[in-house]
Amino acid sequence: MPRTLDPELRRALTARIRYYNEMGIYDFYHRPVSVNTQEVTAPIAVDEQEIAVSINPESGEQMSPRKSAAVAMPVALEGEENIFGVIAPKPEQSVSDPVKALKIIREDLGDCTRCVLHKQGRKQIVFGVGNPKAELMFIGEGPGADEDEKGEPFVGRAGQLLNNMIKAMGIEREQVYIANIVKCRPPGNRQPEREECATCSPFLMRQIAVVKPKVIVALGATAAKTLLAMNSSMIQLRGRFYDFRPAGIRSNDPDWDGCKLAVTYHPAFLLRDPRQKGEAWKDLQMVMKELGLKAAKQTT
Ligand code: URA
């Protein structure tokens, strides 16, 4: 028999869940507890109205007050269905217009102070840009100085090379969607820390679930490792497609249950080592084949 939650505990629990929501965390799971340990807590009936924003009432899932929230892993591993079965719908998922849905995510992000990057010299948040119904999405690491200045990803030198790569694929920049793992410029263009990636990427996952691309190209190791939750080298990661589903999102679209993901070199790396451009072109050709794209005719 479920016990009724003590009102004080319920208030504390509600405040805690709001706090996690503010941090961009919406997904909670119920860890199975062993009957033989002291950790055992009886299932507790939770007032659904108070916490409906966070826990899917349909799931019937109950949360122990001693258990904390967790961001789900990017891809469900075998035997983890329980965890992923209780993912709450995101607010934008009730909106069919992707422009409006992306706006909801942007508003949710607000003037973000969730990680240290907000106080390390960022001028503005660089949310993402492009076709909200793009078939192809490029994901980089994080904004540099030019992007921080303009509020748009990939507008500096690396951006010019990315534009050329997109053109070579026979399409225009406006046709694709471009975003980064972190939305604030890391000082001195340092690599974003793992914690910064983990804090920021749930918003990217939501953007991906709205755009519903057919293919994502992860530009460089930070993007690839964060999206795939793998710690392999670029050599190991490139040259194949991965099945990708955005972490923490339960798709409510029967026509979109994830997409393919390819890894290639970051344009900034290619500027430093142009000999690798041929390898990157091989990656893009694999993507073009998947999307039925024909290479642009060379003009000179
Ligand atoms: N490098 C990135 O990873 N992203 C940008 O937006 C610009 C440079």
Side-chain angles (χ1 to χ4, degrees):
M1 264 266 292
R3 270 196 284 147
T4 311
L5 196 62
D6 168 70
E8 191 123 335
L9 191 52
R10 178 187 300 165
R11 256 194 303 280
L13 179 57
T14 306
R16 174 65 64 96
I17 290 168
R18 287 220 179 93
Y19 168 74
Y20 283 127
N21 286 173
E22 293 267 286
M23 304 262 295
I25 298 169
Y26 293 89
D27 311 316
F28 302 85
Y29 67 89
H30 173 85
R31 257 189 237 152
V33 286
S34 156
V35 245
N36 293 324
T37 69
Q38 297 226 309
E39 276 244 306
V40 173
T41 30
I44 291 164
V46 177
D47 182 329
E48 285 175 0
Q49 276 196 332
E50 270 190 48
I51 60 158
V53 284
S54 310
I55 297 181
N56 180 5
E58 281 163 38
S59 72
E61 194 66 24
Q62 296 162 344
M63 195 173 84
S64 153
R66 297 183 59 192
K67 309 296 176 197
S68 58
V71 178
M73 297 273 290
V75 192
L77 304 171
E78 260 176 35
E80 286 192 336
E81 276 156 13
N82 259 349
I83 295 173
F84 295 95
V86 297
I87 291 171
K90 302 290 179 272
E92 66 277 8
Q93 287 189 290
S94 57
V95 173
S96 56
D97 178 353
V99 175
K100 286 192 185 138
L102 288 171
K103 207 162 157 241
I104 290 172
I105 303 170
R106 180 64 190 88
E107 277 165 8
D108 209 355
L109 190 59
D111 189 19
C112 186
T113 57
R114 292 170 181 83
C115 84
V116 294
L117 291 179
H118 82 278
K119 52 180 178 187
Q120 295 193 341
R122 79 146 190 237
K123 286 193 179 147
Q124 54 185 316
I125 291 168
V126 179
F127 184 67
V129 74
N131 178 2
K133 294 181 179 176
E135 291 196 343
L136 177 57
M137 195 158 172
F138 287 92
I139 299 177
E141 180 176 297
D146 296 308
E147 291 75 21
D148 185 47
E149 194 67 46
K150 287 207 174 149
E152 184 175 328
F154 283 98
V155 290
R157 277 186 71 224
Q160 278 166 25
L161 180 53
L162 177 61
N163 290 349
N164 292 344
M165 289 157 72
I166 294 169
K167 269 213 175 92
M169 296 173 81
I171 48 176
E172 299 293 327
R173 179 179 166 105
E174 292 69 31
Q175 288 175 262
V176 306
Y177 193 88
I178 307 173
N180 282 308
I181 296 292
V182 296
K183 300 191 189 308
C184 295
R185 183 193 179 198
N189 291 348
R190 68 159 168 79
Q191 263 192 2
E193 302 284 350
R194 249 180 46 176
E195 212 175 301
E196 293 155 3
C197 296
T199 304
C200 203
S201 59
F203 290 92
L204 173 65
M205 298 299 167
R206 290 167 64 185
Q207 287 168 278
I208 295 169
V210 166
V211 176
K212 302 184 176 84
K214 285 188 178 156
V215 177
I216 291 174
V217 176
L219 299 166
T222 302
K225 289 179 186 181
T226 307
L227 292 168
L228 295 170
M230 288 169 78
N231 199 17
S232 313
S233 69
M234 282 296 283
I235 292 191
Q236 289 166 324
L237 289 167
R238 287 181 48 245
R240 54 162 288 198
F241 277 120
Y242 300 82
D243 288 325
F244 177 81
R245 265 184 258 140
I249 316 276
R250 186 181 49 191
S251 176
N252 57 0
D253 180 347
D255 295 330
W256 195 85
D257 185 31
C259 62
K260 297 203 165 177
L261 186 146
V263 175
T264 194
Y265 292 118
H266 193 288
F269 170 77
L270 295 174
L271 288 172
R272 289 196 299 274
D273 187 356
R275 290 169 306 177
Q276 302 303 326
K277 281 184 182 176
E279 287 301 299
W281 182 234
K282 281 186 204 161
D283 301 329
L284 297 182
Q285 281 178 309
M286 180 178 84
V287 171
M288 288 159 63
K289 193 167 172 211
E290 180 66 25
L291 293 173
L293 298 174
K294 294 257 176 303
K297 290 202 176 76
Q298 301 231 324
T299 46
T300 48

